[in-house]
């Protein structure tokens, strides 16, 4: 049976790592921008992409249904090395279930947008209800008979 999902073999682009084949915070901090984008491999598909502008971006490289894919996991230092590894492990679990992490993320983004839109509508309705209540109070105050 052919495997449909797996992580990228990081040894193909792993050049600046410690002896275990993993990145360290020191290696990451010492990574300098070059003329072109380059990647520092960690393990199990996790890599750090260093751009010419100096940005350091976490990427997860993996295969899904025979195609090489890559998703972003955040920027260093906002996303630490340990956090990037944790996210990688979560994405590996998604792959083991036969789910493409990229497609899963797209679904989550759509759901988040829908929830935000629903919240905006609810807030508008709430505002209109308050305005209606306030206008009824002021209407009552002006229409009550004087004694």
């Amino acid at each position: 049976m052919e495997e449909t999902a797996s992580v990228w073999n990081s040894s193909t682009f792993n050049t600046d790592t410690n002896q275990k084949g993993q990145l360290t915070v020191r290696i990451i901090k010492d990574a300098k921008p070059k003329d072109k984008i380059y990647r520092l491999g960690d393990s199990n598909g996790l890599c750090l992409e260093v751009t010419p502008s100096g940005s350091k971006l976490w990427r997860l490289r993996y295969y899904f249904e025979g195609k090489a894919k890559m998703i972003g996991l955040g920027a260093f230092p906002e996303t630490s090395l340990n956090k990037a590894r944790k996210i990688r492990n979560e994405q590996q679990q998604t792959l083991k279930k036969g789910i493409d992490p990229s497609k899963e993320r797209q679904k989550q983004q759509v759901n988040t947008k829908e929830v935000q839109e629903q919240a905006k509508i609810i807030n508008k309705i709430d505002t209109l209800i308050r305005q209606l209540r306030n206008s009824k109070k002021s209407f009552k105050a002006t229409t009550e008979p004087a004694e």
Side-chain angles (χ1 to χ4, degrees):
M1 186 170 120
E2 186 180 321
E3 192 172 335
T4 61
S6 65
V7 293
W8 193 275
N9 180 357
S10 61
S11 65
T12 58
F13 59 91
N14 203 1
T15 56
D16 293 324
T17 57
N18 67 13
Q19 291 165 343
K20 291 181 185 178
Q22 294 183 331
L23 290 173
T24 64
V25 175
R26 169 53 96 222
I27 292 169
I28 294 167
K29 287 183 178 179
D30 289 347
K32 303 293 181 216
K34 296 181 181 179
D35 291 339
K36 293 184 178 182
I37 292 175
Y38 68 98
R39 293 184 183 100
L40 301 174
D42 185 54
S43 60
N44 297 323
L46 180 64
C47 65
L48 185 74
E49 194 172 81
V50 183
T51 67
S53 67
S55 297
K56 297 175 182 179
L57 308 169
W58 293 111
R59 302 281 191 235
L60 177 63
R61 298 169 60 127
Y62 64 98
Y63 289 100
F64 191 80
E65 295 179 348
K67 293 182 183 177
K69 296 193 165 202
M70 182 168 47
I71 58 171
L73 305 180
F76 181 84
E78 293 82 15
T79 303
S80 69
L81 175 58
N82 287 334
K83 177 71 173 171
R85 286 176 178 161
K86 181 180 176 193
I87 295 169
R88 176 213 45 212
N89 293 342
E90 291 167 359
Q91 298 303 329
Q92 285 178 324
Q93 295 305 312
T94 302
L95 277 169
K96 285 180 182 177
K97 294 175 186 173
I99 300 169
D100 183 352
S102 177
K103 297 290 183 195
E104 187 68 17
R105 180 176 286 174
Q106 288 172 357
K107 286 180 189 176
Q108 289 173 352
Q109 288 172 344
V110 167
N111 289 341
T112 300
K113 284 181 182 178
E114 288 174 356
V115 168
Q116 289 171 343
E117 288 173 13
Q118 289 172 357
K120 285 180 185 178
I121 291 170
I122 290 170
N123 286 337
K124 285 180 183 179
I125 291 170
D126 189 42
T127 301
L128 290 171
I129 290 171
R130 272 193 248 114
Q131 289 174 348
L132 183 62
R133 285 183 181 152
N134 289 339
S135 67
K136 282 185 177 181
K137 287 178 185 175
S138 64
F139 180 73
K140 273 187 181 179
T142 58
T143 58
E144 288 181 356
E147 293 183 27

